[in-house]
Amino acid sequence: MHWTFAQRASVQATVQPAEIQIGEQALINLKVIAPKDKTIQFPVYQKEIIPGLEVLTMLPPDTVIENNVATMNFKYVVTSFDSTLYYIPNMPIFDGTDTIFSNSFGLKVTSPVLKDSTVAYLEKLNTGQTDSIDFQQLQLNDIKPVQKPSFVWTDYLWILWIVLGFILLLLLIGLIIILVLRKKKKGYFFTPPVVLPPHVRAIQELDKLKAEKIWQQEGREKEFYTKITDVLRNYMFERYRINAMEMTSGEILNEIRKKSEDDSVYNNLAQILSVADMVKFAKHKPYADENDLSLMNAYFFVNQTREPDPLPDKKEMEKEITNY
């Protein structure tokens, strides 16, 4: 069979199952075959298809297109609470031009099958032969007790989160207690970083500069004197709070004269700054012994002006004397 676009859409209605009991559900399917360019409008039922046959929901259509032909299925979930045979003469669709009707079909709705003893007892009730209600003869059983649901561990994840939260809270409280006790005993919460004295850091920088030996490399004299004076300027700022990085050589020497009366301290620094100024501003090429002398004087200057070592703790001294 070859489908052409000139043909009309076709529609077929089916129902599964064809027989249900009161309150059960059935599925009515409208199958439409039409050219793919056709826009099909399916019937929409607010409550009932026909009186007594209720529409519970309408499912969205599913569509399959093959060889320019669209096959669409639109499903209605229905139910009924009257025992009878429902006859649906047709269900209409609209293809944009014409209204097309489906085939007719039927749906049988039956009541639950009652035992003969139950039917006989109901007859007695209806005719007034008895005015008592015997649930056993009516075959009406008591409501079953509520059953305990099966165990599903995911339903109890909230307990795990509560336990974890409680543990974290205890750990936090313990940490706070430890920090408070440490603050009370040592004067700080966390161990402060070790800060080396200014002269120790200056010596370390000079050792590093000495190991590089850049003054022995051609054309790097200016770099050498820039580094050695920067080390000394930083040291003087940390040692004496002299803003040496912003001062001229003469201003630095004047400040050092105020801090130390030792002529060798002044002279050692003056030698370094003098050669450094000539190298940086006058393009002076220092001799090898000048470079060695500048580095040696830098060590002398730091060691001569360093802070005195702190006195040992009295308790430690007593402990050492006792051990001795």
Side-chain angles (χ1 to χ4, degrees), residues 51-317:
L53 187 59
E54 298 181 14
V55 178
L56 298 177
T57 185
M58 293 178 286
L59 305 179
D62 59 81
T63 304
V64 177
I65 299 177
E66 186 177 356
N67 297 327
N68 295 323
V69 177
T71 301
M72 292 162 279
N73 291 279
F74 196 85
K75 299 178 175 64
Y76 303 81
V77 180
V78 298
T79 190
S80 177
F81 296 94
D82 293 321
S83 59
T84 186
L85 176 60
Y86 290 100
Y87 173 73
I88 300 91
N90 57 64
M91 296 179 70
I93 66 164
F94 184 70
D95 67 355
T97 303
D98 300 315
T99 299
I100 305 170
F101 296 94
S102 73
N103 54 292
S104 61
F105 60 96
L107 175 62
K108 186 178 181 181
V109 181
T110 60
S111 298
V113 178
L114 300 178
K115 294 183 178 180
D116 293 340
S117 59
T118 302
V119 173
Y121 187 74
L122 288 173
E123 182 64 25
K124 288 183 179 180
L125 287 174
N126 290 332
T127 58
Q129 298 180 35
T130 180
D131 56 1
S132 63
I133 299 177
D134 190 335
F135 288 99
Q136 290 185 351
Q137 293 192 46
L138 285 175
Q139 300 295 311
L140 298 177
N141 298 320
D142 291 338
I143 298 175
K144 293 183 178 180
V146 177
Q147 295 183 354
K148 185 178 180 181
S150 57
F151 175 80
V152 180
W153 69 270
T154 53
D155 293 339
Y156 299 91
L157 279 178
W158 61 273
I159 298 178
L160 176 62
W161 288 117
I162 291 177
V163 172
L164 290 177
F166 183 71
I167 293 174
L168 290 176
L169 180 61
L170 290 178
L171 291 175
L172 180 61
I173 294 174
L175 178 61
I176 293 174
I177 293 174
I178 292 174
L179 292 176
V180 170
L181 293 177
R182 185 169 186 171
K183 171 69 175 179
K184 185 177 180 180
K185 181 179 180 181
K186 297 187 176 182
Y188 51 79
F189 288 118
F190 302 100
T191 303
V194 178
V195 180
L196 298 175
H199 71 275
V200 174
R201 281 181 280 131
I203 294 296
Q204 289 177 347
E205 291 296 324
L206 291 175
D207 289 342
K208 182 179 178 181
L209 184 60
K210 180 180 178 182
E212 293 176 350
K213 297 183 179 181
I214 58 176
W215 73 91
Q216 297 179 2
Q217 303 174 27
E218 186 67 26
R220 299 188 68 183
E221 294 86 357
K222 183 177 180 179
E223 180 183 354
F224 168 70
Y225 279 95
T226 298
K227 288 186 175 183
I228 195 172
T229 53
D230 284 348
V231 171
L232 296 178
R233 288 172 187 266
N234 284 324
Y235 165 72
M236 286 184 280
F237 173 75
E238 295 179 357
R239 176 67 177 89
Y240 296 117
R241 292 302 168 187
I242 298 174
N243 192 16
M245 296 300 294
E246 305 296 331
M247 292 181 177
T248 63
S249 297
E251 292 172 337
I252 293 174
L253 290 172
N254 288 335
E255 291 295 326
I256 289 300
R257 177 65 78 183
K258 298 176 184 178
K259 302 295 182 181
S260 175
E261 297 179 357
D262 191 337
D263 290 338
S264 63
V265 172
Y266 180 90
N267 293 333
N268 289 339
L269 182 60
Q271 183 274 329
I272 299 170
L273 295 179
S274 175
V275 177
D277 288 344
M278 289 190 295
V279 171
K280 289 189 285 186
F281 303 115
K283 298 183 180 180
H284 172 63
K285 293 288 185 180
Y287 296 106
D289 57 349
E290 284 185 293
N291 298 330
D292 294 337
L293 179 61
S294 296
L295 184 60
M296 181 180 64
N297 283 337
Y299 278 106
F300 283 154
F301 175 78
V302 172
N303 284 317
Q304 287 174 309
T305 58
R306 57 173 288 182
E307 293 182 357
D309 293 331
L311 295 175
D313 185 79
K314 184 178 180 180
K315 292 183 179 180
E316 292 293 331
M317 291 181 62

